[in-house]
Amino acid sequence: MIEATSCGGVVIFRGKILLLYKNYKHRYDGWVLPKGTVEAGEEYKETALREVKEETNVAASIIKYVGKSQYTFNTPNDTVVKDVHWYLMMADSYHSKPQKEEYFVDSGYYKYHEAYHMLKFSNEKQILEKAYSEYLDLKRSNLWGSHKYF
C-alpha cells in the first residue's frame, strides 16, 4: 500500500464555486475541485495555492482550512491511499483557464446547488458543503472579503 497526500481548494468568487472538468481518454471524466500532490519541502497551504494556480490559472487567497478527505484507488502494482487537505479560498475574478496538460477541458464558477450536483465524487461534495457553510458564516459576520481573518 502506498500513502499519498494532496491539497486543494474550494475557491469562491461572489458566492460561486470554481470547478474543473477533466476528461482523460474518455476513461475518466467529470467535474472536480482543483487539487494536487504535495511536492518535497512544500507546506500544505503552498501546495493548495500552487495547484489551484496551475490547474485553473486562478490566483486565490487561503481563508481557512476546512478539513481532510480520503480515498483509495488501485494502480497496476499497488493500492494508493490518498489524503486530501482542503482549504476555503477566495478568488479576485471569474477568470479561469483549465490546464490542458492535466486533461482539464473546462473550468468555471457555479452556484452552490449547481456545483454540488455537478461534482463527480461524494467526498468532494462533503468538503464543498463544509466549505460553503464556512463561507456563509464569514459572510453573515461581514468577514468575507475584508481581510480581517488573515
Side-chain angles (χ1 to χ4, degrees):
M1 186 184 325
I2 300 168
E3 292 182 7
T5 305
S6 286
C7 299
V10 177
V11 182
I12 297 179
F13 181 68
R14 294 189 179 161
K16 293 186 176 180
I17 295 106
L18 178 61
L19 298 183
L20 283 159
Y21 191 84
K22 188 165 196 163
N23 186 340
Y24 178 69
K25 299 180 181 175
H26 304 292
R27 285 198 305 263
Y28 174 100
D29 67 325
W31 290 95
V32 295
L33 295 168
K35 70 174 187 313
T37 304
V38 177
E39 292 181 355
E42 214 172 30
E43 290 186 21
Y44 290 170
K45 284 182 175 184
E46 294 171 326
T47 302
L49 290 168
R50 177 181 54 75
E51 287 292 342
V52 166
K53 180 71 174 163
E54 286 176 4
E55 293 184 352
T56 68
N57 201 34
V58 171
S61 308
I62 288 179
I63 306 305
K64 67 189 301 186
Y65 181 77
V66 289
K68 181 175 88 166
S69 62
Q70 189 178 70
Y71 63 96
T72 59
F73 61 93
N74 294 313
T75 65
N77 305 323
D78 217 331
T79 299
V80 178
V81 177
K82 183 164 271 199
D83 286 336
V84 185
H85 294 274
W86 294 99
Y87 294 87
L88 173 60
M89 298 183 181
M90 180 172 60
D92 58 5
S93 84
Y94 280 126
H95 174 77
S96 67
K97 182 180 174 208
Q99 185 184 24
K100 303 285 190 231
E101 303 80 32
E102 292 287 332
Y103 307 100
F104 293 115
V105 294
D106 197 6
S107 64
Y109 288 84
Y110 297 89
K111 292 177 183 172
Y112 172 77
H113 67 277
E114 293 171 327
Y116 184 86
H117 291 292
M118 289 164 71
L119 281 173
K120 179 176 176 121
F121 300 111
S122 60
N123 60 356
E124 290 194 4
K125 288 182 181 196
Q126 289 170 337
I127 288 295
L128 173 59
E129 274 184 288
K130 188 171 181 190
Y132 199 75
S133 173
E134 298 274 1
Y135 158 74
L136 291 175
D137 287 347
L138 288 167
K139 203 160 166 51
R140 272 192 290 275
S141 305
N142 286 323
L143 294 173
W144 183 259
S146 70
H147 295 283
K148 290 179 191 166
Y149 40 76
F150 287 119

